[in-house]
Amino acid sequence: MTLPEAVAGVTLAVLVLYVLLGGADFGGGVWDLFARGPRARRQRDVIAGAIGPIWEANHVWMIVAVVLLFSAFPTGFSVAMTALHIPITLMLVGIVLRGTSFVFRKVAPPPDGAESGWQTTFAVSSLLTPVMIGVVVGAVTVPGIGYENGVVTGGFVRPWLRPFPFLVGGFTLALFAWLAACYLVLETTDAELRDDFRRRALAAGWAVAAAGALVFAAGWAVAPAVVEHFLAGWGGASTLIGGVVGLAISQGAMLRRRWGLARAGTVATVVLVLVGWAQGQMPWIVRGAVTIHDAAAPDVTLKIVLWILGLGSLILVPAFVYLYATFKGRMLLPGGE
């Protein structure tokens, strides 16, 4: 493994953490939007209680990933940010609006319990952001962005305003919502609320399967190299089969109310989806434009980045463990009980 590949692997690990933790926060916003019926207020209270202590901290992983990208792969960062500045800006706007509305809807609730503008903003931004994250991932997966003589070509709209990136956006939204529902069943001991989130987890699981199949089928036409990776070699096939098995285990366990096993199946599926995509994307950061090795900073810079990341982890990881042990201790126990 080369030094750029090692740093790319670390960046992928950080992104996986962001999806597993921060992605579930966005999924919670999705279920906040669809809270309905006589238990809608209680459902929203569970979601707010689950997100409240940790949603800001979870964004640390995105910040770390961005810093790694522009420090270790400055050309790749520059090309992606230039060509995709519109969906990336929308994504950042969604993150900011979501955070501010989450706070303001609590400190400035409307009288008589009516739905506030902050409530709507929180819900809509929770939909927008995952879709834009998926659009960016889809756009760098298919050829369309060019880079010649230091200039980004291909336009600023055409590379991402296509069906495939939005299919990936829909898949990302379903994935985040699925994660959130599987976590939320463990955030309450109320049997009725658990059943509410259980039904949402099952529906979201089927949505993930359907959206994943659509992305896979569409990939044959626009990203054949990525699809062939899943079918041609053991590495890709194992992530594909593992992801399908993980999804089946999660759905079956959720049907039988085995919450811990359902959560494990969901987490395993999400990890395998991301690892499989990254393997298929190798060696490209932006397919057809910049590879990991072309974009990599000098070796001395990469070594410094790894050293700083290692030293920073000595503070960051224990802090996160303490945070989650404090607020999610019961949820993280085997079986969630």
Side-chain angles (χ1 to χ4, degrees):
M1 179 182 290
T2 64
L3 196 53
E5 289 170 350
V7 178
V10 173
T11 307
L12 173 64
V14 173
L15 287 174
V16 169
L17 284 173
Y18 180 66
V19 170
L20 290 178
L21 302 176
D25 292 345
F26 289 109
V30 173
W31 298 125
D32 186 282
L33 175 64
F34 290 108
R36 292 290 185 273
R39 293 187 291 279
R41 175 58 61 91
R42 290 160 58 198
Q43 291 169 10
R44 285 176 172 149
D45 287 344
V46 171
I47 293 167
I51 295 174
I54 43 91
W55 69 272
E56 288 178 290
N58 287 337
H59 285 304
V60 165
W61 300 112
M62 171 177 270
I63 295 169
V64 172
V66 171
V67 170
L68 280 172
L69 190 59
F70 77 67
S71 300
F73 307 102
T75 305
F77 178 84
S78 172
V79 171
M81 290 293 167
T82 302
L84 303 174
H85 69 275
I86 295 175
I88 289 172
T89 301
L90 290 173
M91 179 186 76
L92 294 175
V93 168
I95 291 173
V96 172
L97 287 179
R98 180 177 171 279
T100 52
S101 58
F102 180 73
V103 173
F104 277 107
R105 73 172 187 166
K106 184 175 181 179
V107 299
D112 65 26
E115 189 166 295
S116 68
W118 293 119
Q119 179 74 37
T120 304
T121 303
F122 174 71
V124 172
S125 56
S126 294
L127 290 177
L128 172 69
T129 308
V131 170
M132 287 300 111
I133 291 174
V135 165
V136 170
V137 172
V140 301
T141 304
V142 296
I145 299 172
Y147 183 64
E148 299 174 5
N149 301 320
V151 177
V152 177
T153 60
F156 303 126
V157 175
R158 193 168 57 246
W160 62 271
L161 195 58
R162 294 182 287 173
F164 185 77
F166 279 89
L167 277 177
V168 179
F171 177 66
T172 305
L173 179 63
L175 206 62
F176 286 6
W178 185 42
L179 266 174
C182 290
Y183 290 172
L184 285 169
V185 294
L186 297 169
E187 291 284 353
T188 176
T189 55
D190 185 307
E192 290 182 327
L193 291 177
R194 274 195 164 176
D195 265 349
D196 289 342
F197 292 122
R198 172 177 168 268
R199 284 191 290 273
R200 286 160 172 75
L202 289 169
W206 289 119
V208 167
L214 279 174
V215 169
F216 199 80
W220 276 110
V222 296
V226 178
V227 174
E228 287 170 5
H229 161 75
F230 285 105
L231 302 176
W234 171 243
S238 61
T239 57
L240 177 62
I241 295 170
V244 173
V245 171
L247 176 61
I249 289 174
S250 175
Q251 293 291 83
M254 192 60 72
L255 278 171
R256 291 168 175 77
R257 293 179 169 79
R258 297 180 62 183
W259 315 122
L261 183 59
R263 178 184 60 190
T266 303
V267 169
T269 301
V270 172
V271 172
L272 289 170
V273 165
L274 292 171
V275 170
W277 165 78
Q279 289 176 337
Q281 181 73 354
M282 283 288 288
W284 299 99
I285 293 179
V286 179
R287 185 167 291 277
V290 185
T291 68
I292 287 173
H293 298 93
D294 292 338
D299 282 358
V300 63
T301 302
L302 298 181
K303 290 177 182 176
I304 291 173
V305 165
L306 288 177
W307 270 107
I308 292 175
L309 188 65
L311 293 173
S313 298
L314 297 177
I315 299 173
L316 184 61
V317 172
F320 255 82
V321 171
Y322 183 67
L323 176 71
Y324 271 78
T326 301
F327 292 104
K328 303 290 181 182
R330 181 184 60 81
M331 178 185 172
L332 294 174
L333 290 173
E337 303 291 353

